[in-house]
Amino acid sequence: MEQDELRDQLVDPKSPINIESLLDTITALVNDCKIPVLMRMKSVDNFISRYERVVESLAALRMKAADFRQLKVIGRGAFGEVHLVRHTRTNTVYAMKMLNKDDMIKRADSAFFWEERDIMAHANSEWIVRLQYAFQDPRHLYMVMEYMPGGDLVNLMTSYEVSEKWTRFYTAEIVEALAALHSMGYIHRDVKPDNMLISISGHIKLADFGTCVKMNANGVVRCSTAVGTPDYISPEVLRNQGQDAEFGKEVDWWSVGVFIYEMLVGETPFYAEALVSTYTNIMNHKTSLKFPDEPLISTQAKDIIKKFLSAAPDRLGRNSVDDIRNHKFFVNDEWTFATLREASPPVIPSLKSDDDTTHFEEIETRDRDNAGDFQLPKTFNGNQLPFIGFTYSNEYSPVKNLLKGHGA
Ligand SMILES: CN(C)[C@H]1CCc2nc(NC(=O)c3cccc([C@H]4CCCN4C(=O)Nc4cccc(C#N)c4)c3)sc2C1
């Protein structure tokens, strides 16, 4: 490998040997070896005494949680929370997602975050929430993302009576967001109003990509675990519980059908008290899909819902997104799919300040006795290895500039 080719690799955010990944590696090795039992071995003890100080000074130079002031908890998921934070150096607010490494190691579930990191880091799309930084410490992964002060569409649906006009706008924006994600080669698999966030301008962005999976060359994924939220899950993903299923991006278009129905009717089409009944309704969607007499729903709205909530081979969007864009449901006199970004959204969030969180539900802080549940491993488990390479910064860090010969 030539000299300048190696240097290019060291500064390429997509290279597995970029400088951030190499610094992650030495940090992970020290943290995984700094265990009393292991340090009885001469080689480990010598290594730690040479590198422990180096890694500590490195951590002080790199991005860390202490660089951000925690303002409010604005969301919670299976392995962590999202906090509204303010970056002390730049005074900018961000949404910072923290994932607990212990939980992921314990449940052997420590790979799902790569898709989320890569999509938000490299999408470069106005339809996808942007990742500003990703970093880590021995206990957590951190994703510093743009703050979406309008909250999610669940919050909007509980705050307003959503008209067909509004539904048309938000559906069109989600169609463009999913088209962007699919064009990157990913399927979302958990499209639901919770993952549709409203920006300061009132336009929508897709968020929470933990369930995303990369399509193969034929545009399908083989994966048995049924991922997603019951109400929005497609029949083909449900049917192949456990077995090795093959499905494509049309699973996301099914969820859009559920979303349109929910915005217009006020509840999801296959909802039932018992989860197993919801599944039955989804499997029998041909007969279970019903439209109530109230509220009145236009024929074109019913038509597009039926075309999304149909069997995978005939589902709208299966062949091309244009089949969706050309559906008569979207015909209106204010915008087209080409001018959507310039159209004025139904709701422009009213905000008193850059850290206004009124559009987010109150979340009780979970007082986890952090000290309690963290025990030092007894031997080398390599618990830090799954997270090497996660660190990312979308600006040139001083180190990268140095390597590129631009000076500090
Ligand atoms: C089972 N395995 C395979 C994996 C399947 C996928 C998966 N996803 C997880 N995900 C989480 O553990 C998690 C943690 C915090 C927040 C959130 C979301 C859910 C609530 C809000 N949220 C979110 O991402 N919000 C967000 C995102 C971006 C910007 C803004 C703002 N403003 C807000 C999710 S854990 C896990 C296990």
Side-chain angles (χ1 to χ4, degrees), residues 74-82 84 94-99 104 109 112-113 116 120 129 145-149 151-152 189 192 194-195 197 206-212 225 227 360:
I74 57 171
R76 176 167 291 138
F79 288 167
E81 297 177 338
V82 190
L84 180 69
Y94 293 104
M96 183 157 87
K97 183 182 282 196
M98 304 160 60
L99 297 176
M104 293 188 270
D109 192 357
F112 67 90
F113 46 79
E116 176 155 44
M120 291 197 293
V129 168
M145 309 168 288
E146 62 180 305
Y147 176 45
M148 302 290 285
D152 61 30
R189 298 198 298 174
K192 57 184 178 179
D194 317 55
N195 296 335
L197 301 181
L206 217 42
D208 195 2
F209 302 95
T211 55
C212 288
T225 49
V227 185
F360 286 88

Side-chain angles (χ1 to χ4, degrees), residues 265-369:
V265 174
E267 62 188 27
T268 50
F270 307 111
Y271 175 76
E273 265 308 297
L275 188 58
V276 66
S277 314
T278 303
Y279 288 159
T280 311
N281 292 341
I282 293 171
M283 297 316 284
N284 307 334
H285 57 83
K286 282 188 182 50
T287 53
S288 66
L289 177 60
K290 299 243 186 314
F291 293 99
D293 303 332
E294 287 294 314
L296 198 63
I297 296 175
S298 70
T299 43
Q300 58 271 32
K302 285 182 184 166
D303 184 69
I304 195 170
I305 290 170
K306 284 179 197 153
K307 286 189 173 129
F308 277 134
L309 300 182
S310 61
D314 345 311
R315 194 171 303 151
L316 181 65
R318 175 183 179 80
N319 301 324
S320 132
V321 189
D322 282 335
D323 296 343
I324 302 175
R325 295 189 180 112
N326 297 331
H327 191 281
K328 52 188 184 306
F329 172 64
F330 293 110
V331 171
N332 74 93
D333 50 11
E334 285 172 15
W335 47 263
T336 66
F337 278 91
T339 66
L340 194 50
R341 259 338 271 197
E342 288 71 48
S344 58
V347 177
I348 314 266
S350 60
L351 301 164
K352 293 183 210 51
S353 58
D354 65 348
D355 59 2
D356 183 344
T357 56
T358 40
H359 300 284
F360 286 88
E361 291 294 306
E362 270 305 309
I363 303 236
E364 73 292 335
T365 45
R366 184 165 50 180
D367 55 344
R368 292 183 65 163
D369 60 331

Side-chain angles (χ1 to χ4, degrees), residues 44-74:
V44 175
D45 188 43
N46 288 343
F47 166 68
I48 292 299
S49 54
R50 283 191 305 127
Y51 275 93
E52 186 177 19
R53 216 73 57 227
V54 170
V55 161
E56 276 165 18
S57 55
L58 199 55
L61 289 176
R62 299 179 87 194
M63 185 160 280
K64 52 194 176 299
D67 295 342
F68 299 86
R69 185 147 37 91
Q70 309 283 330
L71 301 176
K72 199 138 174 67
V73 181
I74 57 171

